Amino acid sequence: MKTYSIATIPGDGIGKEVVPAGQQVLEAIAAGSQGFRFEFENFGWGGDWFRAHGVMMPDDGLDAIRHKDAILFGSAGDPHIPDHVTLWGLRLKICQGFDQYANVRPTRILPGIDAPLKRCGPEDLNWVIVRENSEGEYSGVGGRVHQGHPIEAATDVSIMTRAGVERILRFAFKLARSRPRKQLTVVTKSNAQRHAMVMWDQIANEVSRDFPDVQWDKELVDAMTARMVNKPATLDTIVATNLHADILSDLAAALAGSLGIAPTGNIDPERRYPSMFEPIHGSAFDIMGKGLANPVGTFWSCVMLLEHLGEAAAAQQLMRVIEQVTADPALHTGDLGGKATTAQVTQAVCERLAAGARRKAA
């Protein structure tokens, strides 16, 4: 029997609720698989760690999780700590430290969810957004001078390298090729950003020659927001820079019904390091500790984790159960207009997984 070693990092806010729920679900599906099991190790990094130690995670923290098979992450964000400290001190430290350069965010309307696009059916909104996750606008290059004076100045420099751009575009074309429609939209802003984004466009054109079976087009990021709302059926696989995809993927999740259902995988495609899976909803301190958080985004992230580990059948089984649960309005949490709790949704998923395992064994 295979044993997968998983690092759990709940982080802040509702991450402390949804990550344990995700662990429960992974344990439930492993119990019925007869082919693999999980070993979990929890790391209490985040805002509480910062208050105790002055950093969001230990300086040697990457070494503690380097040899794990995957990471299940909750959220980074604390109202009492500046956002740039929480983000750069934990999530980005892991993403960049492990060169998880492909951030993958699938989006579709799940059964039973009342999405805001009333003229859009589930078959019309079935996207996957690929976000460059290692450089671009979030490179961390810049600084501030003359602080506190009228001449104070600050810079954040977007850095794009040919290597970084080519590898994310090649990843996106490969992903588009693997999907039924074989369609890719490359998001850009080369009309205004005339250096790095022009290079981005040129490299997209070069890479496309290796994928003649993929139909692709280019869309300015501002026009892309309108296209996502007005013509969702024209989109399938989408690739964009770090900042552009960060914004567009939140719009995509909202169009699909809620940020609470949206998953993410921070992927090292070369598998040199563990990849990290997380919901995109953030720490949501306003509902922390109330048992109201929607765990579906975490469960869908667990589907991506299983796929990454090569457990395709288990991933498909979990996704089917998630869809059964979202189809039941009685199991909708507050973000979906319902009254269900985190524990109730988690219990429903685990019970359905156990029932499926019993039927399989019978």
Side-chain angles (χ1 to χ4, degrees):
M1 178 178 288
K2 298 178 184 176
T3 298
Y4 296 113
S5 179
I6 308 297
T8 55
I9 308 175
D12 303 317
I14 61 172
K16 298 176 182 178
E17 300 167 61
V18 296
V19 165
Q23 180 174 334
Q24 278 184 256
V25 165
L26 286 173
E27 288 172 336
I29 200 161
S33 75
Q34 300 180 344
F36 63 90
R37 59 187 291 272
F38 292 108
E39 286 184 353
F40 295 93
E41 183 175 1
N42 189 65
F43 296 85
W45 303 334
D48 292 340
W49 188 275
F50 182 88
R51 279 180 278 273
H53 303 280
V55 290
M56 293 291 290
M57 64 181 286
D59 291 340
D60 60 353
L62 293 180
D63 291 332
I65 59 177
R66 185 180 305 275
H67 300 294
K68 301 294 184 182
D69 293 302
I71 305 161
L72 183 61
F73 186 81
S75 62
D78 188 300
H80 307 294
I81 305 172
D83 286 342
H84 68 278
V85 172
T86 59
L87 184 64
W88 281 95
L90 184 55
R91 184 185 174 277
L92 289 184
K93 185 171 182 178
I94 296 171
C95 289
Q96 295 193 353
F98 288 154
D99 200 20
Q100 297 166 345
Y101 65 83
N103 179 279
V104 180
R105 296 187 171 187
T107 304
R108 58 187 176 92
I109 301 174
L110 297 179
I113 291 181
D114 184 25
L117 292 182
K118 301 306 179 187
R119 294 174 295 169
C120 174
E123 68 283 355
D124 296 328
L125 200 165
N126 186 349
W127 308 330
V128 59
I129 297 177
V130 177
R131 170 185 174 186
E132 200 292 313
N133 207 36
S134 65
E135 52 181 38
E137 302 89 348
Y138 296 170
S139 296
V141 177
R144 293 174 66 181
V145 295
H146 309 304
Q147 293 188 46
H149 297 280
I151 59 171
E152 182 174 355
T155 61
D156 275 296
V157 181
S158 175
I159 301 293
M160 294 190 191
T161 64
R162 171 167 283 274
V165 172
E166 180 173 348
R167 68 181 183 177
I168 196 62
L169 289 170
R170 195 166 293 279
F171 178 91
F173 270 97
K174 287 180 181 177
L175 181 58
R177 171 184 274 172
S178 73
R179 288 167 60 84
R181 293 175 64 183
K182 292 180 169 52
Q183 177 185 333
L184 177 67
T185 298
V186 178
V187 178
T188 186
K189 192 58 182 169
S190 51
N191 59 339
Q193 295 174 282
R194 58 181 182 167
H195 302 298
M197 292 307 303
V198 169
M199 183 182 76
W200 168 276
D201 290 354
Q202 290 172 344
I203 296 173
N205 189 59
E206 293 168 10
V207 171
S208 72
R209 296 169 192 157
D210 293 333
F211 299 87
D213 53 332
V214 175
Q215 180 183 355
W216 75 286
D217 65 344
K218 187 173 66 173
E219 191 75 78
L220 295 175
V221 64
D222 43 344
M224 186 65 174
T225 60
R227 181 174 168 184
M228 290 169 69
V229 174
N230 294 327
K231 298 180 179 179
T234 68
L235 298 166
D236 187 81
T237 308
I238 301 161
V239 62
T241 68
N242 215 328
L243 174 61
H244 292 166
D246 190 7
I247 296 168
L248 292 177
S249 58
D250 275 21
L251 172 60
L255 294 176
S258 171
L259 290 180
I261 64 173
T264 301
N266 301 286
I267 309 296
D268 167 27
E270 284 72 45
R271 298 177 182 265
R272 300 157 296 173
Y273 308 105
S275 294
M276 182 166 69
F277 303 87
E278 58 175 325
I280 75 168
H281 51 55
S283 54
F285 262 74
D286 56 327
I287 60 169
M288 176 187 175
K290 299 179 181 179
L292 303 177
N294 190 342
V296 168
T298 301
F299 299 160
W300 197 347
S301 299
C302 290
V303 171
M304 299 181 72
L305 184 152
L306 288 164
E307 290 172 340
H308 186 73
L309 294 177
E311 300 294 345
Q316 292 169 5
Q317 180 188 5
L318 178 54
M319 197 68 225
R320 285 194 299 269
V321 168
I322 291 170
E323 291 173 344
Q324 293 169 11
V325 168
T326 62
D328 184 353
L331 293 171
H332 286 186
T333 47
D335 57 306
L336 298 175
K339 297 182 179 179
T341 65
T342 310
Q344 288 170 337
V345 178
T346 304
Q347 181 181 357
V349 171
C350 290
E351 287 176 350
R352 283 166 171 78
L353 288 171
R358 288 194 296 270
R359 287 194 298 272
K360 185 177 179 181

Tab-separated table of all heavy atoms in Angstrom, residues 2 7 10 17-18 24 29 60 106 119 134 175 194 205 284 341:
chain	number	residue	atom	x	y	z
A	2	LYS	N	0.541	2.195	-0.868
A	2	LYS	CA	1.291	3.438	-0.927
A	2	LYS	C	0.976	4.303	0.280
A	2	LYS	O	-0.162	4.355	0.747
A	2	LYS	CB	0.947	4.215	-2.199
A	2	LYS	CG	1.291	3.519	-3.502
A	2	LYS	CD	0.847	4.380	-4.675
A	2	LYS	CE	1.077	3.677	-5.996
A	2	LYS	NZ	0.552	4.490	-7.130
A	7	ALA	N	1.976	17.542	4.282
A	7	ALA	CA	2.109	18.629	5.251
A	7	ALA	C	0.818	19.435	5.264
A	7	ALA	O	0.338	19.855	4.207
A	7	ALA	CB	3.288	19.528	4.892
A	10	PRO	N	-2.553	25.032	8.228
A	10	PRO	CA	-3.827	25.762	8.275
A	10	PRO	C	-3.661	27.259	8.121
A	10	PRO	O	-4.535	27.922	7.543
A	10	PRO	CB	-4.390	25.395	9.650
A	10	PRO	CG	-3.720	24.098	10.005
A	10	PRO	CD	-2.346	24.200	9.419
A	17	GLU	N	-10.027	25.933	10.166
A	17	GLU	CA	-11.232	25.108	10.156
A	17	GLU	C	-11.318	24.245	8.901
A	17	GLU	O	-11.706	23.075	8.963
A	17	GLU	CB	-12.467	26.006	10.270
A	17	GLU	CG	-12.484	26.839	11.560
A	17	GLU	CD	-13.532	27.932	11.522
A	17	GLU	OE1	-14.722	27.607	11.396
A	17	GLU	OE2	-13.146	29.120	11.618
A	18	VAL	N	-10.970	24.820	7.757
A	18	VAL	CA	-11.161	24.073	6.506
A	18	VAL	C	-10.046	23.068	6.239
A	18	VAL	O	-10.285	22.043	5.590
A	18	VAL	CB	-11.346	25.029	5.308
A	18	VAL	CG1	-12.608	25.853	5.471
A	18	VAL	CG2	-10.123	25.917	5.102
A	24	GLN	N	-9.874	15.371	7.090
A	24	GLN	CA	-10.905	14.368	7.338
A	24	GLN	C	-11.360	13.703	6.046
A	24	GLN	O	-11.518	12.475	5.980
A	24	GLN	CB	-12.123	15.024	8.003
A	24	GLN	CG	-12.040	15.233	9.479
A	24	GLN	CD	-13.342	15.797	10.014
A	24	GLN	OE1	-13.456	16.976	10.321
A	24	GLN	NE2	-14.348	14.954	10.110
A	29	ILE	N	-11.456	9.134	2.126
A	29	ILE	CA	-11.316	8.517	0.803
A	29	ILE	C	-10.194	7.488	0.796
A	29	ILE	O	-10.283	6.460	0.120
A	29	ILE	CB	-11.122	9.587	-0.292
A	29	ILE	CG1	-11.475	8.997	-1.661
A	29	ILE	CG2	-9.707	10.160	-0.308
A	29	ILE	CD1	-11.770	10.019	-2.721
A	60	ASP	N	14.170	27.801	8.636
A	60	ASP	CA	14.451	26.503	8.015
A	60	ASP	C	13.165	25.727	7.739
A	60	ASP	O	13.190	24.507	7.572
A	60	ASP	CB	15.386	25.681	8.902
A	60	ASP	CG	14.798	25.393	10.286
A	60	ASP	OD1	13.717	25.952	10.614
A	60	ASP	OD2	15.412	24.608	11.045
A	106	PRO	N	-9.095	25.780	-11.519
A	106	PRO	CA	-10.279	25.394	-12.289
A	106	PRO	C	-11.513	26.127	-11.791
A	106	PRO	O	-11.641	26.436	-10.599
A	106	PRO	CB	-10.386	23.891	-12.025
A	106	PRO	CG	-9.683	23.672	-10.726
A	106	PRO	CD	-8.608	24.713	-10.644
A	119	ARG	N	-27.897	33.838	-17.686
A	119	ARG	CA	-28.018	33.299	-19.039
A	119	ARG	C	-26.941	32.263	-19.332
A	119	ARG	O	-26.781	31.841	-20.475
A	119	ARG	CB	-27.948	34.436	-20.060
A	119	ARG	CG	-29.131	35.404	-20.002
A	119	ARG	CD	-28.905	36.579	-20.940
A	119	ARG	NE	-27.757	37.385	-20.511
A	119	ARG	CZ	-27.191	38.345	-21.241
A	119	ARG	NH1	-27.653	38.608	-22.445
A	119	ARG	NH2	-26.160	39.029	-20.773
A	134	SER	N	5.630	32.840	-10.168
A	134	SER	CA	6.969	32.974	-9.590
A	134	SER	C	7.639	34.316	-9.857
A	134	SER	O	8.648	34.629	-9.223
A	134	SER	CB	7.883	31.863	-10.125
A	134	SER	OG	8.082	32.014	-11.523
A	175	LEU	N	-1.697	22.002	-21.095
A	175	LEU	CA	-2.951	21.799	-20.380
A	175	LEU	C	-4.141	21.963	-21.328
A	175	LEU	O	-5.092	21.163	-21.308
A	175	LEU	CB	-3.058	22.774	-19.212
A	175	LEU	CG	-4.307	22.662	-18.345
A	175	LEU	CD1	-4.443	21.262	-17.747
A	175	LEU	CD2	-4.274	23.714	-17.231
A	194	ARG	N	4.683	48.098	-22.892
A	194	ARG	CA	5.255	47.864	-24.214
A	194	ARG	C	6.583	47.122	-24.211
A	194	ARG	O	7.196	46.981	-25.277
A	194	ARG	CB	5.430	49.202	-24.943
A	194	ARG	CG	6.307	50.197	-24.208
A	194	ARG	CD	6.406	51.506	-24.976
A	194	ARG	NE	7.289	52.446	-24.308
A	194	ARG	CZ	7.752	53.551	-24.879
A	194	ARG	NH1	7.415	53.831	-26.121
A	194	ARG	NH2	8.546	54.361	-24.209
A	205	ASN	N	3.475	33.459	-29.188
A	205	ASN	CA	3.429	33.127	-30.612
A	205	ASN	C	4.459	32.056	-30.961
A	205	ASN	O	4.183	31.131	-31.741
A	205	ASN	CB	3.669	34.386	-31.441
A	205	ASN	CG	3.425	34.162	-32.917
A	205	ASN	OD1	2.340	33.796	-33.331
A	205	ASN	ND2	4.456	34.385	-33.725
A	284	ALA	N	-10.727	35.229	6.032
A	284	ALA	CA	-12.120	35.515	6.437
A	284	ALA	C	-12.277	35.579	7.957
A	284	ALA	O	-13.072	34.850	8.553
A	284	ALA	CB	-13.062	34.477	5.839
A	341	THR	N	-23.356	24.282	8.272
A	341	THR	CA	-22.083	24.575	8.921
A	341	THR	C	-20.948	23.826	8.228
A	341	THR	O	-21.179	22.894	7.441
A	341	THR	CB	-22.113	24.163	10.397
A	341	THR	OG1	-22.246	22.729	10.474
A	341	THR	CG2	-23.283	24.822	11.122
